[in-house]
Amino acid sequence: MNTLIELEGVYFKYAGSKEYSLKNINFKADKGEYILITGPSGCGKSTLTRVLNGLIPNFYNGELKGKIKVVGLDVKKTPAYKMAKYVGTVFQDPENQLFLSTVEREIAFGLENLGFKREVIRERVQEALEMFKLNELKNKAPYELSGGQQQKVAIASIIALRPKILILDEPTANLDPLSAEEVLQLIDKLVKSLGILAIVIEHRLEIALKYATRMIIMDKGKIIADGDPRKVIISKEANIVGIPKVVEIYKRLVSEKVSLNTIPLSPEELAKLFVKVIKKDEE
Amino acid sequence: MKNNEVVIETRNLYYAYEDEKYVLKNINLRINKGEIIAILGENGAGKTTLVKHFNGLLKPTKGEVFVLGKNVKDMSVAELSKHVGIVFQNPDHQLFSETVEKEIEFAMVNFGFEKHYIEERIEWALKLMGLEKYRNRSPYTLSIGERKRLTLATVLSYDPDILILDEPTAGQDFLQKEKIAELMNLLKHRKKTIIIVTHDIEFIVNRVERVILLVGGKIIYDGDKRGALTNYKLMKEARLLPPQVSQISWILYNLGVKLPKDILYTEELLRELLRIYKS
């Protein structure tokens, strides 16, 4: 099964709210995708992820309409603990997600909760420690770690459950740039090596854009752009999310009749494309 | 700033939490009235610890701190906070009132401001931060971005001369960042001294003049922003990502393209790229 998410005509309104937070969402996603979702605060992106991991309707009350299939399951009829096996969620602030005495215990916790056997737990914890290079830190308390390390532990403890879908809601909001880069790159590796589907909500496009295989922009509860990041980022819809400097420079060059062939998503890409253009002209 | 009135000065400042090792080491700084400064460094470099000395929340383990010419050890936190307002990174460490309006009112009541003045300032601050419609809501029902704007409103309401903004853009979307930038402009026109603690390099490129780089509790650079942001070695040492514009110019330079290595602004880079393209 390649298609992991199928939403058709989905609407959601929180209890007590007058307006729909999600309006006519049509969204399909497959394994192996790295989907970047962005949009102004209050656009509905966090609400959308709550529909995908079953927090809506299991924990948040409201009016939910439309067809929702996640890993083949109907979230309206599936209890949260069952969804948690397939959909892992990492939040903005790892401090709110980590609460045990050591990194090792933290990674084991989710597995214990889902009732795995002791040997399986031991094996999976070891595997996660190695995969995330956390072996040296396994006996440390999460609060002794840096923000970037904490976020790694949070992701490791989710990956140990072997979910099919990994959702990250602004995972780098409190991280410094290099730690943010490490976390987003790590997700890219997970997508490629495990074939999972990653859905990442981010405002920091200058770091996130180059890893994404697909970009979605939301505004006022609707999906207003969805597709190849290189196309979406130069669409007029992208103006509400602020485009990274590399893309701005690309656009300015185009307006000066310097065409770079493709839209660069990182400084490296822009520099290489520019060098190609000037070399071609020399020939 | 022609008129060099020093508003904050530190002399051989060292700080250690309890008996642990120093998290600030020999900090010597002079900040003038009306300056707009960014303090940069990775998480744990000591940025927040440093600015907490400016309003008396922390007292130096060794050395001295002067605010508006007075040694902070002779000033109370209440007296200092009238002059120095800090907006912390996590709004939840700062908010505690029942309603948005009461939250803004709190500090002003404590400072003993007059009632009609307090009412006026509440309205001004609510409007400035776009929070009018939430005035009777509990701060905890607001989104994190809104809570952050509320902490800003709280501090701005009592009009301190020195403002310290700790990671004001973290987790903020593009439009909110633009609003924060506009607000900094407004404060600049009102001759406020603004210190912004951040690792959002793209945000500060066009918004500050002076940059201080902190690494492991020490100042490794204090001066003009270009000297720091376009210096590959310094940025690497501080574990920061240089602005994309500077990154592009370095990569091009390393690929053998002849252009200056200290390009900071979009316009400078474009001018160079067009010159190279046309030649």
Side-chain angles (χ1 to χ4, degrees):
Chain A
M1 185 177 58
N2 272 337
T3 300
L4 294 176
I5 295 172
E6 273 184 275
L7 303 188
E8 264 177 50
V10 170
Y11 287 79
F12 181 73
K13 187 159 77 174
Y14 286 98
S17 172
K18 282 182 202 133
E19 266 214 68
Y20 281 97
S21 294
L22 293 178
K23 295 172 198 156
N24 193 23
I25 300 292
N26 295 291
F27 172 64
K28 248 185 165 181
D30 298 341
K31 60 181 289 202
E33 287 195 275
Y34 190 133
I35 303 178
L36 170 66
I37 303 184
T38 192
S41 301
C43 70
K45 50 194 192 305
S46 292
T47 304
L48 176 61
T49 64
R50 287 176 190 149
V51 169
L52 301 178
N53 60 21
L55 287 177
I56 291 174
N58 282 310
F59 287 102
Y60 292 90
N61 293 328
E63 183 190 329
L64 180 63
K65 291 193 293 195
K67 184 187 153 194
I68 306 165
K69 275 258 157 87
V70 177
V71 210
L73 299 167
D74 181 346
V75 296
K76 287 189 246 180
K77 293 179 188 148
T78 312
Y81 72 86
K82 204 166 173 195
M83 291 305 300
K85 271 190 190 169
Y86 303 107
V87 187
T89 310
V90 176
F91 298 96
Q92 190 177 103
D93 202 344
E95 268 179 54
N96 298 341
Q97 213 161 347
L98 306 174
F99 42 84
L100 292 170
S101 53
T102 68
V103 166
E104 200 173 17
R105 294 276 312 121
E106 197 64 60
I107 297 173
F109 181 74
L111 294 159
E112 288 166 1
N113 254 359
L114 291 178
F116 283 95
K117 286 197 190 124
R118 284 194 141 249
E119 310 84 78
V120 179
I121 295 175
R122 212 169 296 143
E123 200 182 286
R124 294 266 191 102
V125 169
Q126 197 45 44
E127 196 183 273
L129 288 171
E130 269 158 36
M131 190 193 292
F132 291 84
K133 300 193 178 76
L134 291 168
N135 253 323
E136 279 174 30
L137 302 174
K138 71 177 179 187
N139 296 318
K140 286 217 170 190
Y143 68 82
E144 290 176 275
L145 308 180
S146 73
Q149 290 169 332
Q150 287 181 351
Q151 202 57 291
K152 257 195 206 170
V153 173
I155 298 171
S157 55
I158 298 281
I159 287 295
L161 307 175
R162 298 202 181 144
K164 293 187 184 307
I165 302 170
L166 178 64
I167 295 173
L168 301 105
D169 193 349
E170 295 189 44
T172 73
N174 294 317
L175 302 186
D176 54 53
L178 291 184
S179 307
E181 184 87 50
E182 279 167 22
V183 165
L184 293 172
Q185 194 173 29
L186 179 67
I187 296 160
D188 180 51
K189 278 192 193 143
L190 293 173
V191 168
K192 285 178 179 145
S193 62
L194 306 176
I196 56 170
L197 161 64
I199 296 176
V200 183
I201 295 184
E202 260 302 331
H203 291 303
R204 293 165 89 165
L205 302 184
E206 75 276 9
I207 306 179
L209 203 55
K210 59 178 175 290
Y211 298 114
T213 60
R214 179 171 160 196
M215 177 178 179
I216 289 177
I217 302 176
M218 291 186 69
D219 189 28
K220 301 189 179 96
K222 289 184 186 156
I223 290 178
I224 58 165
D226 179 357
D228 178 351
R230 292 180 208 270
K231 286 185 183 132
V232 172
I233 197 65
I234 57 159
S235 67
K236 69 173 193 310
E237 282 79 14
N239 290 333
I240 61 162
V241 294
I243 59 170
K245 280 278 174 232
V246 275
V247 179
E248 188 188 326
I249 290 162
Y250 164 84
K251 280 179 149 182
R252 293 282 299 276
L253 285 172
V254 169
S255 72
E256 299 281 350
K257 309 249 176 322
V258 183
S259 174
L260 294 183
N261 276 326
T262 177
I263 297 131
L265 300 181
S266 68
E268 290 78 14
E269 280 186 8
L270 188 136
K272 282 179 185 154
L273 289 167
F274 183 76
V275 168
K276 248 190 203 164
V277 168
I278 54 175
K279 290 229 167 102
K280 208 194 252 162
D281 281 8
E282 274 167 19
E283 279 160 15
Chain B
M1 207 70 212
K2 294 265 164 355
N3 164 23
N4 274 359
E5 185 190 326
V6 178
V7 291
I8 293 176
E9 185 176 356
T10 70
R11 290 184 200 158
N12 311 109
L13 163 64
Y14 285 79
Y15 184 77
Y17 289 96
E18 286 154 18
D19 340 311
E20 288 173 41
K21 54 181 191 234
Y22 288 117
V23 287
L24 290 178
K25 295 164 199 157
N26 199 22
I27 303 288
N28 289 287
L29 266 182
R30 288 162 78 94
I31 294 171
N32 299 317
K33 185 177 163 60
E35 272 196 297
I36 301 180
I37 299 181
I39 300 181
L40 309 177
E42 67 172 319
N43 289 339
K47 308 180 300 262
T48 304
T49 305
L50 174 60
V51 298
K52 279 184 176 168
H53 282 82
F54 300 161
N55 79 340
L57 282 175
L58 294 177
K59 297 276 154 91
T61 308
K62 277 200 297 188
E64 287 159 315
V65 177
F66 296 86
V67 172
L68 301 172
K70 276 169 84 175
N71 194 321
V72 293
K73 71 170 200 259
D74 303 325
M75 295 167 93
S76 66
V77 175
E79 188 186 355
L80 270 164
S81 50
K82 230 184 224 183
H83 302 293
V84 185
I86 301 193
V87 181
F88 287 106
Q89 177 174 5
N90 187 340
D92 298 341
H93 295 168
Q94 216 162 348
L95 299 173
F96 45 81
S97 299
E98 273 166 55
T99 69
V100 165
E101 214 172 58
K102 282 187 184 154
E103 189 69 59
I104 302 177
E105 188 182 46
F106 180 80
M108 290 191 282
V109 170
N110 265 358
F111 289 143
F113 290 172
E114 275 180 50
K115 198 165 180 261
H116 73 272
Y117 180 72
I118 293 179
E119 279 164 11
E120 215 173 88
R121 296 300 297 178
I122 291 175
E123 289 313 310
W124 176 82
L126 284 172
K127 211 171 151 211
L128 185 70
M129 292 287 103
L131 295 168
E132 300 115 299
K133 62 178 174 182
Y134 302 129
R135 67 170 73 226
N136 296 317
R137 289 255 298 264
S138 155
Y140 288 101
T141 65
L142 305 182
S143 76
I144 196 153
E146 288 156 354
R147 292 206 294 277
K148 206 146 184 171
R149 276 185 279 148
L150 174 57
T151 54
L152 259 169
T154 307
V155 171
L156 291 171
S157 69
Y158 57 84
D159 205 25
D161 287 328
I162 302 165
L163 277 140
I164 299 169
L165 312 176
D166 194 351
E167 295 290 356
T169 62
Q172 300 286 329
D173 67 28
F174 173 66
L175 295 174
Q176 284 163 353
K177 277 194 192 186
E178 290 293 300
K179 269 194 191 161
I180 293 168
E182 271 173 35
L183 175 72
M184 284 174 63
N185 249 332
L186 175 84
L187 295 170
K188 183 181 170 184
H189 284 298
R190 301 185 60 198
K191 304 276 184 285
K192 303 288 180 191
T193 306
I194 306 169
I195 300 166
I196 147 168
V197 172
T198 189
H199 29 63
D200 189 342
I201 302 292
E202 299 292 348
F203 181 77
I204 60 153
V205 168
N206 294 305
R207 314 228 154 77
V208 307
E209 292 135 27
R210 176 174 159 196
V211 161
I212 293 167
L213 288 181
L214 269 183
V215 175
K218 279 190 201 157
I219 293 179
I220 62 159
Y221 179 92
D222 177 2
D224 163 59
K225 66 181 162 192
R226 189 188 295 267
L229 302 181
T230 66
N231 185 321
Y232 184 81
K233 255 184 75 186
L234 281 177
M235 293 302 276
K236 206 172 165 192
E237 200 181 335
R239 278 186 51 88
L240 293 167
L241 277 177
Q244 286 199 327
V245 165
S246 307
Q247 288 185 50
I248 294 167
S249 60
W250 291 338
I251 299 167
L252 283 170
Y253 183 90
N254 287 332
L255 290 171
V257 178
K258 288 200 172 58
L259 82 177
K261 273 199 331 189
D262 64 344
I263 293 178
L264 183 60
Y265 299 116
T266 310
E267 297 308 319
E268 288 174 310
L269 179 63
L270 275 167
R271 211 181 308 131
E272 287 296 326
L273 293 182
L274 291 173
R275 177 186 61 77
I276 294 159
Y277 180 76
K278 281 167 187 157
S279 70

